[in-house]
Amino acid sequence: MKTVKSNVHYHIGNEPETDMYGEVLQGLQQEKKFISPKYFYDKKGSELFEAITMLSEYYPTRTELLILNKYKHEMAKAIGSDTALVEFGSGSSEKVRTLLEAMPELKEYVPIDISKDFLYQSARALSIEYPHLDVHAVSADYTDKFEMPELSSKRKAVFFPGSTIGNFEPQERMNFLKMTAEFLKPNGGLLIGVDMKKDHAVLNAAYNDNKGITSQFNTNLLNRLNRELLANFDLQKFKHHAFYHAEKGRIEMHLVSLINQTITIGDENIFFSEGETIHTENSYKFTISEFQQIAKACGFTPKQVWCDDKNWFSMHYLVVE
């Protein structure tokens, strides 16, 4: 029987250590309660987010794909040849396929994702579609230092779509971009999706859809805490609240307590007064110049920007010189 050589390779970049109970409890014991948005994404949460990306009100995903499809050849030229393409938070590697169409000479693709099983499954599917490509799937939390496999390409370019950069707090964002610049040295590039400031009505509608999917996505976080941390949240006593905070340039998502109530998590009791909220996510929006100033402060040189016709979304190519 003929042996077929596999073009997909699996690597452990780091082993993320998460104390979900400790982190959630610490956040809920603050004067202004919060829970990290990373806990949205259990199986149900991931499915609900996929449904959000299909909503008519939720413009970021389809707008970014329009930009990618329209300018993929320009992006491929900017990235250049003899480059390994590294994707942070690769998920199903759907968006990168558009870019790969314009990069037939690319030899190495490195998807990095925290979800090991999902990563390996999607890497295998992509490796079959692109048999000429060496796919190095790295299981890691890309926001922390991780080990990279040995690559044959002379330089690296990171693909970071989806406006995830907007979910970082300002200092976290600076730290992450500086770490990415260090990772890309020398002469590496970053192709990144950035959501833009726009009409407040458009922003508010995107996070308060008519079907209530975003509301389900937000409140599903409480379901997860009930299941995994043996909490006793009553979802009927909390409601989704999202709004654009113009002064801070961000969408805020909250879960609002509808009554005075006490919640138990493990052995701990957490009191909520009526109207008190759990802050679950921020999504910062930027003008082109605002984001470029941030990038420059982190060691990048802005090279090219691509936008949609409405200037709702932007994709930036930055280099480390």
Side-chain angles (χ1 to χ4, degrees), residues 155-173:
R155 57 192 289 277
K156 300 188 291 283
V158 164
F159 181 49
F160 192 39
S163 73
T164 307
I165 194 68
N167 297 135
F168 290 85
E169 290 305 302
Q171 190 57 55
E172 291 175 335
R173 184 190 311 130

Side-chain angles (χ1 to χ4, degrees), residues 43-270:
K43 187 174 184 295
K44 180 68 173 175
S46 297
E47 289 168 357
L48 286 167
F49 184 72
E50 283 298 312
I52 287 170
T53 66
M54 306 294 178
L55 293 167
S56 58
E57 299 98 328
Y58 192 78
Y59 61 86
T61 304
R62 67 172 180 274
T63 308
E64 186 176 41
L65 278 168
L66 280 171
I67 297 168
L68 270 168
N69 275 296
K70 187 173 181 179
Y71 298 108
K72 60 188 175 187
H73 293 289
E74 289 183 23
M75 294 172 181
K77 187 177 178 182
I79 291 168
S81 58
D82 204 7
T83 303
L85 189 63
V86 182
E87 184 173 7
F88 286 172
S90 54
S92 60
S93 296
E94 278 306 315
K95 287 178 184 171
V96 81
R97 284 170 164 81
T98 304
L99 202 52
L100 292 176
E101 286 172 19
M103 303 180 76
E105 295 177 4
L106 187 77
K107 295 174 184 171
E108 295 175 302
Y109 169 59
V110 187
I112 301 176
D113 204 277
I114 201 166
S115 177
K116 192 183 299 182
D117 293 339
F118 189 40
L119 168 74
Y120 290 177
Q121 183 182 337
S122 58
R124 180 65 186 147
L126 189 128
S127 73
I128 293 167
E129 286 178 52
Y130 299 88
H132 68 282
L133 199 60
D134 269 332
V135 179
H136 294 272
V138 178
S139 169
D141 175 358
Y142 62 82
T143 65
D144 204 353
K145 289 191 175 179
F146 58 89
E147 292 290 323
M148 275 285 286
E150 196 170 320
L151 303 172
S152 62
S153 304
K154 287 183 180 176
R155 57 192 289 277
K156 300 188 291 283
V158 164
F159 181 49
F160 192 39
S163 73
T164 307
I165 194 68
N167 297 135
F168 290 85
E169 290 305 302
Q171 190 57 55
E172 291 175 335
R173 184 190 311 130
M174 295 289 284
N175 293 344
F176 171 73
L177 287 171
K178 284 177 181 177
M179 187 178 74
T180 302
E182 194 63 36
F183 168 76
L184 285 168
K185 284 181 179 176
N187 302 317
L190 171 62
L191 179 60
I192 184 170
V194 180
D195 200 5
M196 296 175 71
K197 290 180 175 173
K198 58 186 71 67
D199 187 292
H200 297 183
V202 174
L203 287 165
N204 285 317
Y207 294 83
N208 294 283
D209 61 279
N210 286 329
K211 292 182 178 177
I213 309 283
T214 312
S215 175
Q216 290 177 50
F217 174 69
N218 202 6
T219 53
N220 181 65
L221 177 59
L222 303 182
N223 262 334
R224 183 177 183 184
L225 301 187
N226 287 348
R227 185 179 67 253
E228 296 185 27
L229 301 184
L230 303 181
N232 64 345
F233 286 94
D234 182 343
L235 273 62
Q236 301 305 311
K237 295 175 181 174
F238 287 85
K239 72 171 182 180
H240 164 74
H241 180 50
F243 61 94
Y244 183 64
H245 193 307
E247 191 178 326
K248 293 184 177 178
R250 71 190 191 193
I251 284 281
E252 293 187 11
M253 286 218 311
H254 295 256
L255 289 163
V256 185
S257 177
L258 299 176
I259 59 168
N260 291 335
Q261 56 183 314
T262 300
I263 302 300
T264 303
I265 302 183
D267 298 327
E268 299 289 334
N269 292 324
I270 308 291

